[in-house]
Amino acid sequence: MWGETVRSETMEQWGAVSAGRGTKTDPRVVELGNAVRWTRRELDAYPADLRDRREAERVLDALAATVRSGVPAPEELRDSLLVLAAAVGSVSALSRPLAAVRAAVELFGAAPRATR
């Protein structure tokens, strides 16, 4: 949750994620942050070797940085979600946290439909 310390494997550093009462944080950003941290914890705990683990870690680190910076751009969130889904989407143990990230990304609005 907010205020917890999270370790980044790809960045090899620790950092605190903070927000909560008394701050004017967008609830969508809070939801995204919760989903990103949950996914990261589950990925870190997943024992099997994943070919795209480093890419998934990189995307989760980028999403965490986006959460810390404020309101993210919906298009960038969708791109990150696609990369994350490609990296870990076939891992059933990560399906629930990945679904939480997807639901949080959808809070920022649906993708624009192409017109012909």
Side-chain angles (χ1 to χ4, degrees), residues 30-115:
V30 172
E31 190 70 26
L32 179 61
N34 290 337
V36 167
R37 280 188 304 286
W38 181 25
T39 304
R40 184 54 193 243
R41 280 191 309 270
E42 294 298 315
L43 179 61
D44 287 347
Y46 189 70
D49 187 30
L50 297 174
R51 188 175 73 191
D52 293 328
R53 180 184 291 266
R54 300 289 272 174
E55 186 62 18
E57 291 170 343
R58 186 195 64 75
V59 170
L60 288 168
D61 289 344
L63 285 170
T66 299
V67 166
R68 287 189 299 272
S69 71
V71 179
E75 189 60 38
E76 291 175 17
L77 290 178
R78 285 188 290 277
D79 291 346
S80 295
L81 178 61
L82 287 172
V83 173
L84 187 58
V88 300
S90 64
V91 179
S92 62
L94 300 174
S95 64
R96 288 182 53 220
L98 183 58
V101 172
R102 179 181 179 203
V105 167
E106 289 175 351
L107 293 173
F108 289 88
R113 298 200 180 249
T115 58

